[in-house]
Amino acid sequence: MKQIVVIGGGAAGLMAAVIAGREGARVILLEKMNMVGKKMGITGKGRCNITNSADISDFIKNTPGNGKFLYGAYERFSNVDLLALLHEWGLKTKVERGGRVFPESDSALEVRNLFMKMLKKYNVTVHLNEAVTKIVTKDNVVTGVVTTKESYACEAVIIATGGASYPLTGSTGDGYRLAEGVGHSITDIRPSLVPIVTEESWVKDIMGLSLRNVEVSIVSKEKVQAKMFGEMMFTHFGVTGPTILSLSHTVGKLLRKKKTAPIAVSINLKPALTAEVLDKRLQKDFDLYSKKQLANGMKDLLPSNLIPIIISLAKLDPAKPINQITKEERQQLCHVLQHMTLTVKGLRPVEEAIVTAGGISLKEFNPKTMESKLVKGLYGAGEVLDIDAFTGGYNLQAAFSTGYVAAMHIVHGEV
Ligand SMILES: Cc1cc2nc3c(=O)[nH]c(=O)nc-3n(C[C@H](O)[C@H](O)[C@H](O)COP(=O)(O)OP(=O)(O)OC[C@H]3O[C@@H](n4cnc5c(N)ncnc54)[C@H](O)[C@@H]3O)c2cc1C
């Protein structure tokens, strides 16, 4: 029986420990928090977007941070395999918009509890409140780990310590230091899926305002670098919400360029309409409210707290009677409605990001087995690796699949 140590009881570590246990290994799972799956419990706003119903090729497309590395893992353990396993254990799931898969109960805790049941069933020894501080090797072969409490000898170690985001869940970047300690290199650690900070302070005036069905573009050097349709929200520092979080990856990339050109977030509030149709629509409203002031004539078109901002961005007088608005002024309004622009100041820090981009360098790992090319018996799984995906269940699937592959390879040597 092989003795395995899994470091970290998140999605990747839980899957790895359960599979290694199921396949007959002796497994110790070391978790530094007082429970396993703390982050899993808050995923998908407490509903846990477990995976996506998309094809593997779409998983890769939705993983801008080194998606191709995951082909091998997805071929061995795909979303279909993950759901089959969870269904076998009694979890009922449902598919929502965009192929997002959730537990039917809408409870992330149900998923976490299920893994706890599996740990028990497969006799995994779980040590809580115990952080690994060092991986021990001899002649580039793993021999054990040292923790805050004890030392353990083992034949294989899986680093599944997560990234550096939401540190209160236990993901504090320990895995980077542990891997560095045995000779691995760490790429630039940065936030992904993170809110954007803007120069404009008026965002404060409309914080909490959420917009649906808008098209958000990231513009730099007069070129649209990326765009997305969906929801966004204003906050006291800038913007957030699903479209913004996904676009933050592009913003991060642009910000890292040596000569950063100004970056703008351009919001099309009426993406379904052409400029001409929008102008006609505005004319119709202005005919209806012709005797009112401009600020009172746009309530059919926009949420009320957005109106003064749009008027100000169009450099118009909110008190001007609508019947005195010129064609040029109306067109100016139309332009702002389809190009509401904010200037990017930066991203919120990695601690506030949904995922961490960067991590243990993938060049030093075998994508078919998740084993280190530098240290025999050392494996990496989940967000600690230099992998990051968009929202939609892609990050959890990456963690589950890499955890599965590492465990199978340790026990069976499968490639
Ligand atoms: C708010 C939020 C919502 C999210 N929602 C979704 C979603 O719905 N769908 C989705 O696909 N993704 C979601 N994600 C991303 C997803 O949660 C992560 O990508 C995923 O949890 C990564 O799993 P992991 O096992 O690699 O790391 P983690 O889940 O971070 O687990 C790492 C574990 O290692 C432990 N650990 C760390 N250092 C040590 C050490 N030295 N010794 C022992 N233990 C240690 C930590 O305490 C932790 O329990 C969300 C993330 C956040 C922050």
Side-chain angles (χ1 to χ4, degrees):
M1 251 193 182
K2 271 200 169 160
Q3 176 68 61
I4 301 177
V5 165
V6 178
I7 316 175
L14 286 170
M15 180 59 82
V18 161
I19 296 303
R22 185 188 77 182
E23 298 302 308
R26 262 196 320 234
V27 188
I28 301 178
L29 172 61
L30 299 169
E31 167 54 57
K32 77 169 178 183
M33 302 303 279
N34 60 359
M35 63 171 84
V36 295
K38 207 161 192 183
K39 185 173 274 179
M40 189 186 270
I42 59 163
T43 52
K45 297 196 173 124
R47 297 172 60 223
C48 189
N49 179 191
I50 312 163
T51 184
N52 200 286
S53 62
D55 292 340
I56 291 182
S57 60
D58 286 325
F59 271 82
I60 308 297
K61 273 189 218 139
N62 279 288
T63 308
N66 294 315
K68 285 190 185 139
F69 179 84
L70 293 170
Y71 262 119
Y74 288 159
E75 270 170 12
R76 286 161 183 76
F77 191 70
S78 67
N79 51 349
V80 176
D81 301 322
L82 170 68
L83 290 174
L85 176 73
L86 298 176
H87 292 162
E88 190 188 307
W89 274 82
L91 186 80
K92 293 202 169 106
T93 56
K94 58 182 172 182
V95 183
E96 294 193 359
R97 183 178 48 86
R100 289 160 200 253
V101 180
F102 290 91
E104 212 172 80
S105 61
D106 285 329
S107 165
L109 296 183
E110 189 190 356
V111 184
R112 191 176 74 189
N113 291 342
L114 195 99
F115 274 98
M116 285 164 71
K117 259 205 281 185
M118 292 197 250
L119 290 173
K120 213 167 164 192
K121 157 99 180 164
Y122 297 126
N123 299 317
V124 174
T125 308
V126 181
H127 292 199
L128 300 176
N129 300 307
E130 188 167 348
V132 174
T133 52
K134 196 179 166 200
I135 294 166
V136 188
T137 61
K138 190 166 182 257
D139 301 330
N140 297 326
V141 179
V142 160
T143 57
V145 298
V146 179
T147 73
T148 40
K149 294 181 179 167
E150 260 183 72
S151 296
Y152 301 87
C154 62
E155 291 149 87
V157 168
I158 303 177
I159 309 182
T161 47
S165 308
Y166 278 61
L168 288 179
T169 63
S171 330
T172 49
D174 289 10
Y176 309 140
R177 294 178 280 279
L178 292 172
E180 256 177 342
V182 290
H184 276 283
S185 32
I186 310 301
T187 62
D188 188 21
I189 300 301
R190 46 198 202 279
S192 191
L193 299 184
V194 71
I196 296 174
V197 184
T198 61
E199 298 279 357
E200 290 76 8
S201 57
W202 53 255
V203 288
K204 273 197 209 88
D205 304 337
I206 48 171
M207 65 186 252
L209 174 68
S210 182
L211 302 174
R212 278 164 184 252
N213 303 324
V214 292
E215 187 179 78
V216 186
S217 306
I218 301 301
V219 183
S220 183
K221 292 187 177 165
E222 289 169 21
K223 251 180 79 185
V224 172
Q225 307 285 340
K227 68 177 168 190
M228 251 192 136
F229 179 83
E231 271 176 59
M232 61 159 290
M233 194 173 91
F234 294 93
T235 68
H236 64 284
F237 54 76
V239 282
T240 189
T243 54
I244 299 294
L245 294 180
S246 291
L247 290 167
S248 69
H249 186 91
T250 303
V251 172
K253 241 173 152 175
L254 293 168
L255 286 170
R256 283 201 317 284
K257 286 200 170 154
K258 273 203 182 107
K259 281 189 190 159
T260 308
I263 308 165
V265 176
S266 175
I267 306 159
N268 184 346
L269 296 163
K270 301 289 167 193
L273 309 181
T274 61
E276 293 72 35
V277 174
L278 179 60
D279 187 43
K280 284 211 178 88
R281 166 76 209 271
L282 208 55
Q283 272 181 55
K284 220 169 95 192
D285 284 14
F286 283 3
D287 287 345
L288 193 65
Y289 300 115
S290 65
K291 295 203 179 89
K292 293 195 183 243
Q293 293 181 337
L294 179 58
N296 300 322
M298 297 178 73
K299 64 176 195 295
D300 296 347
L301 200 67
L302 291 172
S304 58
N305 43 358
L306 200 54
I307 295 170
I309 289 172
I310 294 294
I311 293 175
S312 151
L313 289 174
K315 299 191 172 60
L316 299 179
D317 175 6
K320 191 167 182 177
I322 285 183
N323 54 19
Q324 287 174 28
I325 298 282
T326 65
K327 183 179 169 195
E328 285 70 33
E329 287 173 330
R330 198 185 64 235
Q331 283 174 345
Q332 178 62 15
L333 269 175
C334 279
H335 182 79
V336 173
L337 285 169
Q338 296 197 303
H339 303 87
M340 185 187 186
T341 303
L342 292 142
T343 319
V344 173
K345 197 169 168 184
L347 298 175
R348 294 294 281 183
V350 68
E351 291 79 7
E352 292 177 33
I354 301 290
V355 286
T356 306
I360 307 180
S361 174
L362 299 177
K363 287 190 196 130
E364 300 159 358
F365 279 80
N366 181 340
K368 290 187 178 154
T369 63
M370 298 300 143
E371 188 175 16
S372 160
K373 292 178 185 169
L374 311 182
V375 182
K376 198 161 165 36
L378 180 67
Y379 292 74
E383 211 180 304
V384 71
L385 298 171
D386 183 6
I387 293 166
D388 63 281
F390 287 141
T391 58
Y394 304 108
N395 285 296
L396 280 174
Q397 179 70 50
F400 289 133
S401 293
T402 50
Y404 178 95
V405 167
M408 286 303 265
H409 189 254
I410 293 171
V411 183
H412 299 298
E414 272 182 14
V415 177

